[in-house]
Amino acid sequence: MNTMNCMKLISVNFCSRNLIGSVRGLHKGRSFVSSTMSSKHLISTRSFNSCRILSGVSGSDIQASFGNMEFEGNDVAAAMEALANADAVCFDVDSTVIQEEGIDVLAESLGKGEEVAAWTKKAMDGNTKFEDALAARLDIIKPSRASIEKCLEDHPLQLSPGIDGLIESLQDRGVDVYLISGGFRIMIEPLARTLCVGRTNIIANTIFFDESTPTGEYVGFCRDEPTSADMGKPKAVQQIKDQNGYETIVMVGDGATDAQAKPPADAFIGFGGVAVREAVREKACWFIRDFDTMTAVIEKFSKKNK
C-alpha cells in the first residue's frame, strides 16, 4: 500500500496496526528509527492490569490507583483526568517524540553544531523569543533541501522510548494525535508517516527552497506558520480546538513554548525524558520522565475504551 493510501486511512482513523508496522519497517534505519516498548513499560502495564476499568473516573481516583507511586507536577490529578477524557493529544517533536533537537542534528551535520545548539538552548529555556532564535539558527545553517535529506539519511532521528506505543494506544481509542513543532515540516513528515499521523495533523515550520537549483538552496522560511513565533503553540492548539470542536485537549512537551500552550490546552504534561528544564517542570500540571504512566492511564481509563 502506498503512502497516499496510508494517509487516507489515517485521516479517517482506520489506520491498521499492521500498516503502521509496515511503514515503520520501511523507515527503520533511514529517516527515523522506531523504539521498541521498554521492559519497564511492560512491567508497569502488567502490574496495572488488576485495576478495574472505570468510566468517568476522577483524576484523584486515577492517581490513587497507582498506589504509592510518586508524581511531579502542580496538578497531577487534573492532568490525568484531562488525559483520560482527551479528544486529542498534541505532542512537541524535538526532545519529546524524538530524543534530540532536529535542528541541532542538522546543524551538526553541516558543521555548525555548537553555534546553533546555543541558540536552541536559549529558545527552549525561554530566555529569548522563539522567532529570533529560529531566524538566527536558519541564517547560520542555510540548509538546502539536499542537505536536509542527506542529514536524515546519515543521522536517523531516534524516537523516544515508548512514544510509539503511547501514540498507538491513543489512536486505537480514536483519540486524535497532533504534532506541533517549532521544527521543520520537511524533517517531521517522515516521522509522522512512521507513527501513522496524517500530514493535516502536523503544525510545523516550512522552509522555502529555490527549486531551480540542483540542490534546492535555502531561501527563507514561512513566517505565517503559528509555530514560527513566540506564543505560537497556544495559537496552534486553539486553531485545532476551533476547527474540530474538541472539548478536551492535552499538550505534551519539553520546552517553554510547550508550557505556553495551556491555556487553551486543558492540561500541560511536561516531558523530561531527554532534558529536564526547570522552568518547564515548575509549570507542568504533570511532569513525566517516560511515557509509561501516560500509556497506562489511556489503556485503563480513557473515556473511549470499549
Side-chain angles (χ1 to χ4, degrees), residues 183-221:
F184 308 125
R185 179 174 286 273
I186 188 175
M187 299 181 75
I188 293 170
E189 285 184 351
L191 167 65
R193 288 195 295 271
T194 300
L195 296 169
C196 227
V197 174
R199 290 182 67 188
T200 56
N201 285 29
I202 302 170
I203 298 179
N205 290 312
T206 300
I207 298 178
F208 295 139
F209 304 102
D210 183 353
E211 301 297 357
S212 68
T213 61
T215 57
E217 292 302 302
Y218 171 78
V219 294
F221 67 97

Short mmCIF file of all heavy atoms in Angstrom, two decimals, residues 183-221:
data_model
loop_
_atom_site.label_atom_id
_atom_site.label_comp_id
_atom_site.label_asym_id
_atom_site.label_seq_id
_atom_site.Cartn_x
_atom_site.Cartn_y
_atom_site.Cartn_z
N GLY A 183 10.05 22.92 14.87
CA GLY A 183 10.98 22.35 13.90
C GLY A 183 10.42 22.45 12.49
O GLY A 183 9.48 23.20 12.22
N PHE A 184 10.96 21.62 11.61
CA PHE A 184 10.68 21.79 10.19
C PHE A 184 9.84 20.64 9.63
O PHE A 184 10.13 19.47 9.85
CB PHE A 184 11.99 21.90 9.42
CG PHE A 184 12.89 22.96 9.99
CD1 PHE A 184 14.19 22.66 10.37
CD2 PHE A 184 12.43 24.25 10.19
CE1 PHE A 184 15.01 23.63 10.91
CE2 PHE A 184 13.24 25.24 10.74
CZ PHE A 184 14.53 24.92 11.11
N ARG A 185 8.81 21.03 8.89
CA ARG A 185 7.90 20.05 8.31
C ARG A 185 8.63 19.01 7.48
O ARG A 185 8.31 17.82 7.53
CB ARG A 185 6.85 20.79 7.46
CG ARG A 185 5.86 19.89 6.77
CD ARG A 185 4.79 20.69 6.07
NE ARG A 185 3.85 21.27 7.03
CZ ARG A 185 2.78 20.64 7.49
NH1 ARG A 185 2.50 19.41 7.09
NH2 ARG A 185 1.97 21.23 8.34
N ILE A 186 9.64 19.43 6.72
CA ILE A 186 10.36 18.51 5.86
C ILE A 186 11.03 17.39 6.66
O ILE A 186 11.20 16.28 6.17
CB ILE A 186 11.39 19.26 4.99
CG1 ILE A 186 12.01 18.33 3.95
CG2 ILE A 186 12.46 19.91 5.86
CD1 ILE A 186 12.95 19.04 2.98
N MET A 187 11.40 17.66 7.92
CA MET A 187 12.02 16.65 8.76
C MET A 187 10.99 15.86 9.55
O MET A 187 11.25 14.72 9.96
CB MET A 187 13.02 17.32 9.72
CG MET A 187 14.16 18.04 9.02
SD MET A 187 15.35 18.80 10.17
CE MET A 187 16.27 17.36 10.73
N ILE A 188 9.82 16.45 9.78
CA ILE A 188 8.81 15.82 10.62
C ILE A 188 7.89 14.88 9.83
O ILE A 188 7.41 13.88 10.37
CB ILE A 188 7.99 16.91 11.35
CG1 ILE A 188 8.90 17.62 12.36
CG2 ILE A 188 6.76 16.34 12.04
CD1 ILE A 188 8.30 18.87 12.96
N GLU A 189 7.65 15.16 8.56
CA GLU A 189 6.70 14.35 7.80
C GLU A 189 7.11 12.87 7.72
O GLU A 189 6.24 12.00 7.85
CB GLU A 189 6.49 14.95 6.41
CG GLU A 189 5.61 16.19 6.45
CD GLU A 189 5.30 16.76 5.08
OE1 GLU A 189 5.91 16.30 4.09
OE2 GLU A 189 4.46 17.68 5.00
N PRO A 190 8.41 12.54 7.52
CA PRO A 190 8.77 11.10 7.55
C PRO A 190 8.47 10.47 8.90
O PRO A 190 8.04 9.31 8.98
CB PRO A 190 10.27 11.11 7.23
CG PRO A 190 10.49 12.39 6.50
CD PRO A 190 9.55 13.37 7.13
N LEU A 191 8.73 11.21 9.98
CA LEU A 191 8.41 10.73 11.33
C LEU A 191 6.92 10.50 11.48
O LEU A 191 6.48 9.49 12.04
CB LEU A 191 8.89 11.74 12.35
CG LEU A 191 8.40 11.59 13.79
CD1 LEU A 191 8.92 10.30 14.40
CD2 LEU A 191 8.81 12.78 14.61
N ALA A 192 6.11 11.44 10.99
CA ALA A 192 4.66 11.30 11.09
C ALA A 192 4.17 10.05 10.36
O ALA A 192 3.28 9.36 10.84
CB ALA A 192 3.99 12.55 10.53
N ARG A 193 4.76 9.76 9.21
CA ARG A 193 4.39 8.53 8.48
C ARG A 193 4.72 7.31 9.31
O ARG A 193 3.97 6.34 9.35
CB ARG A 193 5.08 8.48 7.12
CG ARG A 193 4.53 9.48 6.12
CD ARG A 193 5.00 9.16 4.71
NE ARG A 193 6.44 9.30 4.53
CZ ARG A 193 7.04 10.42 4.18
NH1 ARG A 193 6.33 11.52 4.00
NH2 ARG A 193 8.35 10.45 4.03
N THR A 194 5.88 7.35 9.99
CA THR A 194 6.27 6.24 10.85
C THR A 194 5.23 5.99 11.95
O THR A 194 4.92 4.85 12.28
CB THR A 194 7.65 6.53 11.50
OG1 THR A 194 8.62 6.69 10.49
CG2 THR A 194 8.07 5.41 12.43
N LEU A 195 4.68 7.08 12.48
CA LEU A 195 3.72 6.99 13.58
C LEU A 195 2.27 6.97 13.09
O LEU A 195 1.35 6.95 13.89
CB LEU A 195 3.93 8.17 14.54
CG LEU A 195 5.28 8.20 15.24
CD1 LEU A 195 5.49 9.54 15.95
CD2 LEU A 195 5.43 7.04 16.21
N CYS A 196 2.09 6.98 11.76
CA CYS A 196 0.76 6.98 11.16
C CYS A 196 -0.06 8.20 11.58
O CYS A 196 -1.25 8.10 11.89
CB CYS A 196 0.01 5.69 11.47
SG CYS A 196 -0.76 4.96 10.01
N VAL A 197 0.60 9.34 11.62
CA VAL A 197 -0.06 10.61 11.87
C VAL A 197 -0.15 11.35 10.54
O VAL A 197 0.85 11.51 9.84
CB VAL A 197 0.73 11.46 12.90
CG1 VAL A 197 0.11 12.85 13.04
CG2 VAL A 197 0.78 10.76 14.24
N GLY A 198 -1.35 11.79 10.16
CA GLY A 198 -1.55 12.42 8.87
C GLY A 198 -0.89 13.77 8.75
O GLY A 198 -0.67 14.47 9.74
N ARG A 199 -0.61 14.18 7.51
CA ARG A 199 0.03 15.47 7.26
C ARG A 199 -0.82 16.63 7.79
O ARG A 199 -0.28 17.65 8.22
CB ARG A 199 0.27 15.67 5.77
CG ARG A 199 1.34 14.77 5.19
CD ARG A 199 1.55 15.07 3.71
NE ARG A 199 2.11 16.39 3.50
CZ ARG A 199 2.25 16.95 2.30
NH1 ARG A 199 1.85 16.30 1.22
NH2 ARG A 199 2.77 18.16 2.19
N THR A 200 -2.13 16.48 7.73
CA THR A 200 -3.00 17.56 8.20
C THR A 200 -2.97 17.69 9.71
O THR A 200 -3.49 18.67 10.26
CB THR A 200 -4.45 17.34 7.74
OG1 THR A 200 -4.90 16.05 8.19
CG2 THR A 200 -4.55 17.41 6.22
N ASN A 201 -2.37 16.73 10.40
CA ASN A 201 -2.25 16.78 11.86
C ASN A 201 -0.86 17.24 12.30
O ASN A 201 -0.46 17.02 13.43
CB ASN A 201 -2.57 15.41 12.47
CG ASN A 201 -4.05 15.11 12.47
OD1 ASN A 201 -4.78 15.58 11.61
ND2 ASN A 201 -4.52 14.32 13.41
N ILE A 202 -0.14 17.87 11.38
CA ILE A 202 1.17 18.44 11.68
C ILE A 202 1.08 19.96 11.57
O ILE A 202 0.59 20.49 10.57
CB ILE A 202 2.25 17.96 10.68
CG1 ILE A 202 2.35 16.43 10.68
CG2 ILE A 202 3.60 18.58 11.02
CD1 ILE A 202 3.21 15.90 9.54
N ILE A 203 1.54 20.64 12.61
CA ILE A 203 1.74 22.09 12.53
C ILE A 203 3.21 22.33 12.83
O ILE A 203 3.68 22.06 13.93
CB ILE A 203 0.83 22.85 13.53
CG1 ILE A 203 -0.65 22.60 13.19
CG2 ILE A 203 1.15 24.35 13.49
CD1 ILE A 203 -1.61 23.29 14.13
N ALA A 204 3.94 22.79 11.81
CA ALA A 204 5.38 22.97 11.94
C ALA A 204 5.83 24.02 10.93
O ALA A 204 5.03 24.52 10.14
CB ALA A 204 6.11 21.64 11.69
N ASN A 205 7.10 24.33 10.95
CA ASN A 205 7.63 25.39 10.11
C ASN A 205 8.01 24.89 8.72
O ASN A 205 8.54 23.78 8.57
CB ASN A 205 8.83 26.06 10.78
CG ASN A 205 8.41 26.87 11.99
OD1 ASN A 205 7.48 27.65 11.92
ND2 ASN A 205 9.10 26.67 13.11
N THR A 206 7.74 25.71 7.74
CA THR A 206 8.01 25.38 6.34
C THR A 206 9.22 26.16 5.85
O THR A 206 9.26 27.39 5.97
CB THR A 206 6.79 25.73 5.46
OG1 THR A 206 5.66 24.98 5.92
CG2 THR A 206 7.07 25.39 4.00
N ILE A 207 10.20 25.44 5.34
CA ILE A 207 11.39 26.06 4.76
C ILE A 207 11.15 26.24 3.26
O ILE A 207 10.61 25.36 2.59
CB ILE A 207 12.64 25.20 5.00
CG1 ILE A 207 12.92 25.07 6.50
CG2 ILE A 207 13.85 25.79 4.29
CD1 ILE A 207 14.10 24.19 6.82
N PHE A 208 11.56 27.39 2.75
CA PHE A 208 11.45 27.66 1.32
C PHE A 208 12.79 27.35 0.64
O PHE A 208 13.86 27.72 1.14
CB PHE A 208 11.09 29.12 1.06
CG PHE A 208 9.73 29.51 1.56
CD1 PHE A 208 9.53 30.73 2.19
CD2 PHE A 208 8.64 28.66 1.42
CE1 PHE A 208 8.28 31.11 2.66
CE2 PHE A 208 7.39 29.02 1.89
CZ PHE A 208 7.20 30.24 2.51
N PHE A 209 12.70 26.66 -0.51
CA PHE A 209 13.88 26.31 -1.27
C PHE A 209 13.79 26.87 -2.69
O PHE A 209 12.69 27.03 -3.23
CB PHE A 209 14.05 24.78 -1.36
CG PHE A 209 14.09 24.09 -0.03
CD1 PHE A 209 12.98 23.42 0.46
CD2 PHE A 209 15.25 24.11 0.74
CE1 PHE A 209 13.01 22.77 1.68
CE2 PHE A 209 15.29 23.46 1.96
CZ PHE A 209 14.18 22.80 2.44
N ASP A 210 14.93 27.14 -3.26
CA ASP A 210 14.99 27.53 -4.67
C ASP A 210 15.07 26.26 -5.49
O ASP A 210 16.14 25.66 -5.66
CB ASP A 210 16.22 28.42 -4.92
CG ASP A 210 16.30 28.90 -6.36
OD1 ASP A 210 15.48 28.45 -7.20
OD2 ASP A 210 17.18 29.72 -6.66
N GLU A 211 13.91 25.82 -5.99
CA GLU A 211 13.85 24.54 -6.69
C GLU A 211 14.48 24.61 -8.08
O GLU A 211 14.59 23.59 -8.76
CB GLU A 211 12.40 24.07 -6.79
CG GLU A 211 11.71 23.88 -5.44
CD GLU A 211 12.33 22.81 -4.57
OE1 GLU A 211 13.29 22.14 -5.00
OE2 GLU A 211 11.86 22.63 -3.41
N SER A 212 14.88 25.80 -8.51
CA SER A 212 15.56 25.91 -9.81
C SER A 212 17.02 25.52 -9.70
O SER A 212 17.71 25.35 -10.71
CB SER A 212 15.44 27.34 -10.36
OG SER A 212 16.19 28.25 -9.57
N THR A 213 17.53 25.39 -8.45
CA THR A 213 18.92 24.97 -8.25
C THR A 213 18.98 23.46 -8.07
O THR A 213 18.02 22.84 -7.61
CB THR A 213 19.51 25.66 -7.02
OG1 THR A 213 18.75 25.28 -5.86
CG2 THR A 213 19.46 27.18 -7.17
N PRO A 214 20.10 22.84 -8.43
CA PRO A 214 20.20 21.37 -8.35
C PRO A 214 19.96 20.81 -6.95
O PRO A 214 19.41 19.72 -6.79
CB PRO A 214 21.64 21.09 -8.82
CG PRO A 214 22.02 22.26 -9.64
CD PRO A 214 21.31 23.44 -9.01
N THR A 215 20.38 21.56 -5.91
CA THR A 215 20.26 21.06 -4.53
C THR A 215 19.11 21.67 -3.76
O THR A 215 18.89 21.33 -2.60
CB THR A 215 21.58 21.30 -3.77
OG1 THR A 215 21.88 22.70 -3.79
CG2 THR A 215 22.73 20.51 -4.40
N GLY A 216 18.35 22.57 -4.38
CA GLY A 216 17.26 23.23 -3.66
C GLY A 216 17.79 24.13 -2.57
O GLY A 216 17.58 23.89 -1.37
N GLU A 217 18.49 25.19 -2.95
CA GLU A 217 19.14 26.06 -1.98
C GLU A 217 18.12 26.78 -1.10
O GLU A 217 17.01 27.10 -1.51
CB GLU A 217 20.02 27.08 -2.69
CG GLU A 217 21.25 26.48 -3.37
CD GLU A 217 22.13 25.73 -2.39
OE1 GLU A 217 22.60 26.35 -1.41
OE2 GLU A 217 22.33 24.51 -2.58
N TYR A 218 18.53 27.05 0.15
CA TYR A 218 17.68 27.72 1.13
C TYR A 218 17.44 29.18 0.74
O TYR A 218 18.37 29.90 0.38
CB TYR A 218 18.37 27.68 2.50
CG TYR A 218 17.70 28.53 3.57
CD1 TYR A 218 16.56 28.09 4.21
CD2 TYR A 218 18.25 29.76 3.94
CE1 TYR A 218 15.97 28.86 5.20
CE2 TYR A 218 17.66 30.53 4.93
CZ TYR A 218 16.51 30.08 5.56
OH TYR A 218 15.91 30.84 6.52
N VAL A 219 16.16 29.59 0.80
CA VAL A 219 15.85 30.99 0.51
C VAL A 219 15.04 31.66 1.62
O VAL A 219 14.78 32.86 1.56
CB VAL A 219 15.10 31.14 -0.84
CG1 VAL A 219 15.99 30.74 -2.00
CG2 VAL A 219 13.80 30.34 -0.85
N GLY A 220 14.63 30.91 2.63
CA GLY A 220 13.88 31.53 3.72
C GLY A 220 12.90 30.55 4.36
O GLY A 220 12.93 29.35 4.08
N PHE A 221 12.05 31.07 5.22
CA PHE A 221 11.04 30.22 5.86
C PHE A 221 9.73 30.99 5.96
O PHE A 221 9.71 32.23 5.90
CB PHE A 221 11.50 29.73 7.23
CG PHE A 221 11.62 30.80 8.28
CD1 PHE A 221 10.59 31.04 9.19
CD2 PHE A 221 12.78 31.57 8.37
CE1 PHE A 221 10.71 32.02 10.16
CE2 PHE A 221 12.91 32.56 9.34
CZ PHE A 221 11.88 32.79 10.24
#
